[in-house]
Amino acid sequence: GQNIDQPTEMTATEGAIVQINCTYQTSGFNGLFWYQQHAGEAPTFLSYNVLDGLEEKGRFSSFLSRSKGYSYLLLKELQMKDSASYLCAVRAEFSGGYNKLIFGAGTRLAVHP
Amino acid sequence: DVKVTQSSRYLVKRTGEKVFLECVQDMDHENMFWYRQDPGLGLRLIYFSYDVKMKEKGDIPEGYSVSREKKERFSLILESASTNQTSMYLCAHRTGVGNQPQHFGDGTRLSIL
């Protein structure tokens, strides 16, 4: 079956660093996305990994280990506006040659002063 | 700027009604998707379309149908609404080329009474 796990909630302090983990068990793995979703808003794309290693994009970095079925999103210099849900999504190929995204339930991050 | 518009932010309907949710994108993208988002479950794929008049079932298609008569518009239809279809519905689209991310609309919060 397809399964994606991420913590339900996390809290952190403004200015700190936080790491949000995601583990997955899927067949036909074809990349992993991270999205940010503020309450009542659309998910917005943050990062994409398909090869092992770290992708850095400003204050946000994402890491992937395909052999371990593991990814993390690293947020540095936390700001209050980073309070949001963070969605891990695996892109998987299935029958017919189509790709689809399989989402984790999301991690709700609260940043405190 | 990528734009995808969903016809309503909030909608209240009664059990048994036929409900139409509309999604329009202005990027000339081939692929369009409908998800529902429920607490603790994440986003789940209902239907997707990779071209005009083409449609494929996602993970939870029961009770839903879709229509793609024009490239920019993808409609989700609840044939006979039931209370368990109360949810947040999100439309997304992406280009068919490469590993580009999906872009989401702001969602329609649908309540079935």
Side-chain angles (χ1 to χ4, degrees), chain B residues 9-107:
Chain B
R9 289 300 304 271
Y10 301 93
L11 203 56
V12 179
K13 295 291 182 180
R14 297 210 171 271
T15 304
E17 281 193 69
K18 191 168 186 176
V19 181
F20 293 85
L21 303 182
E22 304 286 343
C23 175
V24 179
Q25 50 104 355
D26 65 353
M27 293 298 294
D28 199 37
H29 283 169
E30 295 85 0
N31 299 326
M32 297 188 75
F33 308 83
W34 274 107
Y35 294 87
R36 61 179 286 176
Q37 186 176 28
D38 300 288
L41 294 178
L43 277 77
R44 291 179 292 166
L45 182 64
I46 304 171
Y47 267 96
F48 67 100
S49 168
Y50 53 89
D51 207 344
V52 176
K53 296 193 183 296
M54 308 302 283
K55 61 183 179 183
E56 293 289 336
K57 293 180 179 179
D59 298 317
I60 51 165
E62 296 79 18
Y64 303 95
S65 62
V66 290
S67 172
R68 184 109 182 257
E69 295 298 316
K70 294 184 178 180
K71 195 173 187 179
E72 68 270 18
R73 186 180 297 270
F74 192 34
S75 303
L76 180 70
I77 304 155
L78 285 66
E79 297 290 344
S80 177
S82 63
T83 54
N84 63 11
Q85 292 178 310
T86 292
S87 185
M88 171 68 84
Y89 289 87
L90 289 162
C91 172
H93 65 97
R94 65 178 287 271
T95 178
V97 177
N99 294 323
Q100 297 301 310
Q102 294 182 18
H103 301 280
F104 286 86
D106 283 336

Side-chain angles (χ1 to χ4, degrees), chain A residues 50-70:
Chain A
V50 66
L51 299 176
D52 289 354
L54 190 68
E55 294 281 342
E56 297 188 76
K57 207 186 270 189
R59 293 189 299 115
F60 292 7
S61 303
S62 57
F63 172 83
L64 175 67
S65 169
R66 289 174 299 171
S67 61
K68 294 181 179 178
Y70 169 68

Side-chain angles (χ1 to χ4, degrees), chain A residues 76-97:
Chain A
K76 303 176 187 174
E77 301 168 17
L78 280 172
Q79 302 175 10
M80 298 297 290
K81 68 178 182 180
D82 296 330
S83 293
S85 289
Y86 292 87
L87 314 180
C88 173
V90 170
R91 186 164 183 252
E93 184 174 332
F94 62 105
S95 60

